[in-house]
Amino acid sequence: MQRLITCILILGFISATFSNAETQVKFFNVMDFGAHGDGTSDDSNAIAKAWQGVCEDQGPASLLIPLSKIFLVKRLNISGPCKTPNVGIKFEGKIVAPSMNEWVGDSFSWIQIFNVNGLTIDADGGSIDGNGSTWWEKCRKCRRPTSLRFHGCNGLTVKSLSMSNSPGAHISVNGLDGALFSQININSPPNSPNTDGFDIAGSKNVAIEDSTLATGDDCIAINGGCSYINATRLVCQGGHGISIGSLGRNQSHETVEEVHVWNCSFIDTTNGARIKTWPGGSGYARKITYEEIILEDVQNSIIIDQFYGIKTPNEVPNKVEDAVKVSEVTFRGFKGTSASAKAINLNCSPSGCFNITLDQIFIVPSKSIKIAFAFCKNMVNGTFVDTVPKVSCV
């Protein structure tokens, strides 16, 4: 009996050993593929070669960007699909972009990751610097590259990534089903143009959690074709808040639904919770919740703007009643200070906004202003309970 037990234990050990060997991750260190890591030599090709090895490997594999190295990357395209379903990037070093004067090719994107399903980026200690200050003044109105663009990467996980000084948007998320971003730290000056933290479009089941986003534009912009987007425990500093849209530009049809923003703080932002649509568009923005929100010197703490982009009455389309339909929107549990007198702005289209709920709202003037009030335009159908300032919409 003892011998039988011993044999079973040995067989179990051998089985576990083979199992561990089969699941052990193989790392492809970019230094082994010719990267210099000195911050001045272009390491784009070396990183691309290392990624090719990762993507063609049969077992669990990961790209390693090692600690204590600085990698100059002029342009980088990482693409799939890969042979292994378990693919990763272990990101410990620093990646820096060239200056605007050294930029080569179009200015659409800097680092692009396409069609890599099941990708996990573990960036504990890793950082990306977009060298945006070389672009912002010289190229304020021209197209500037997005630093990190994900397209078609279903089942994506990105954690502990630090980014700064993007020329344009920091992270673009497009055409994804399933993504988790956690412990993301984005840091760009509040006057840096169009440096959105996240631009999300055509995606569903995306979560952004436990992150700090200091930007010069939207902390998060949720654009057309998005559903089931969750933003939880975030700090937005500077920039333009968390926005739905803009939607309906050039009379387009766009939809957004099932967006949930919870337990977030806004500090010195030009907007807090915002929905923005262009007159003349179509589609809908519905089933949207902003809840448990802290405000510190925020302009436009709550804003629905269905006249986005319109500066004069002559710019309003002929069919002014045509608009993206805004409905089933809840603002609940807001408290803090407003840096603008118009703390709540429900600027609805002539066709109105429907099922709008404001509940447990306490927004008072900051030291820079004397009063804070709510403004309504056109029909606002909904429920307004326990709100400061008082909301008197019909």
Side-chain angles (χ1 to χ4, degrees), residues 317-335:
N318 292 330
K319 291 185 177 181
V320 70
E321 69 276 7
D322 290 346
V324 175
K325 300 298 186 289
V326 176
S327 66
E328 299 175 79
V329 180
T330 297
F331 305 97
R332 177 177 288 117
F334 281 59
K335 59 182 178 180

Side-chain angles (χ1 to χ4, degrees), residues 82-99:
C82 297
K83 293 182 179 179
T84 172
N86 300 315
V87 63
I89 299 176
K90 183 70 173 175
F91 187 9
E92 299 174 341
K94 183 177 183 179
I95 289 178
V96 296
S99 68

Side-chain angles (χ1 to χ4, degrees), residues 111-275:
I111 300 170
Q112 301 184 108
I113 303 179
F114 283 84
N115 302 321
V116 183
N117 292 333
L119 173 65
T120 296
I121 300 178
D122 184 354
D124 189 13
S127 64
I128 295 174
D129 188 335
N131 208 354
S133 60
T134 64
W135 292 80
W136 298 329
E137 292 303 323
K138 296 179 182 178
C139 185
R140 198 166 188 88
K141 293 185 178 180
C142 64
R143 187 171 197 170
R144 285 166 278 110
T146 295
S147 284
L148 181 58
R149 188 179 297 274
F150 296 98
H151 180 83
C153 299
N154 298 332
L156 172 69
T157 300
V158 182
K159 55 185 179 181
S160 304
L161 176 64
S162 293
M163 299 184 70
S164 61
N165 303 319
S166 179
H170 288 80
I171 298 173
S172 170
V173 176
N174 185 268
L176 272 67
D177 183 357
L180 171 62
F181 295 87
S182 63
Q183 298 177 319
I184 308 299
N185 186 357
I186 290 176
N187 187 14
S188 286
N191 62 346
S192 56
N194 307 113
T195 53
D196 294 35
F198 286 85
D199 272 335
I200 309 173
S203 298
K204 59 184 178 180
N205 300 311
V206 177
I208 304 169
E209 301 177 349
D210 303 308
S211 300
T212 299
L213 311 175
T215 72
D217 209 305
D218 294 324
C219 288
I220 304 173
I222 302 167
N223 298 294
C226 287
S227 61
Y228 296 95
I229 311 296
N230 292 309
T232 306
R233 296 182 298 275
L234 306 180
V235 175
C236 292
Q237 190 163 3
H240 301 172
I242 297 180
S243 298
I244 311 299
S246 62
L247 305 176
R249 187 173 188 174
N250 297 324
Q251 301 181 9
S252 61
H253 179 90
E254 295 186 288
T255 65
V256 170
E257 64 180 338
E258 297 289 359
V259 176
H260 305 283
V261 179
W262 182 77
N263 195 11
C264 294
S265 298
F266 298 92
I267 302 171
D268 295 322
T269 56
T270 58
N271 303 280
R274 177 164 66 158
I275 299 172

Side-chain angles (χ1 to χ4, degrees), residues 242-320:
I242 297 180
S243 298
I244 311 299
S246 62
L247 305 176
R249 187 173 188 174
N250 297 324
Q251 301 181 9
S252 61
H253 179 90
E254 295 186 288
T255 65
V256 170
E257 64 180 338
E258 297 289 359
V259 176
H260 305 283
V261 179
W262 182 77
N263 195 11
C264 294
S265 298
F266 298 92
I267 302 171
D268 295 322
T269 56
T270 58
N271 303 280
R274 177 164 66 158
I275 299 172
K276 48 182 177 175
T277 72
W278 293 75
S282 63
Y284 55 79
R286 67 189 184 191
K287 299 179 181 178
I288 296 163
T289 301
Y290 291 87
E291 192 167 8
E292 300 302 321
I293 304 298
I294 302 297
L295 308 162
E296 184 176 325
D297 291 331
V298 173
Q299 302 174 46
N300 300 308
S301 299
I302 296 173
I303 177 169
I304 297 175
D305 183 4
Q306 294 211 262
F307 294 87
Y308 184 73
I310 300 300
K311 296 179 181 179
T312 66
N314 294 332
E315 295 179 278
V316 178
N318 292 330
K319 291 185 177 181
V320 70

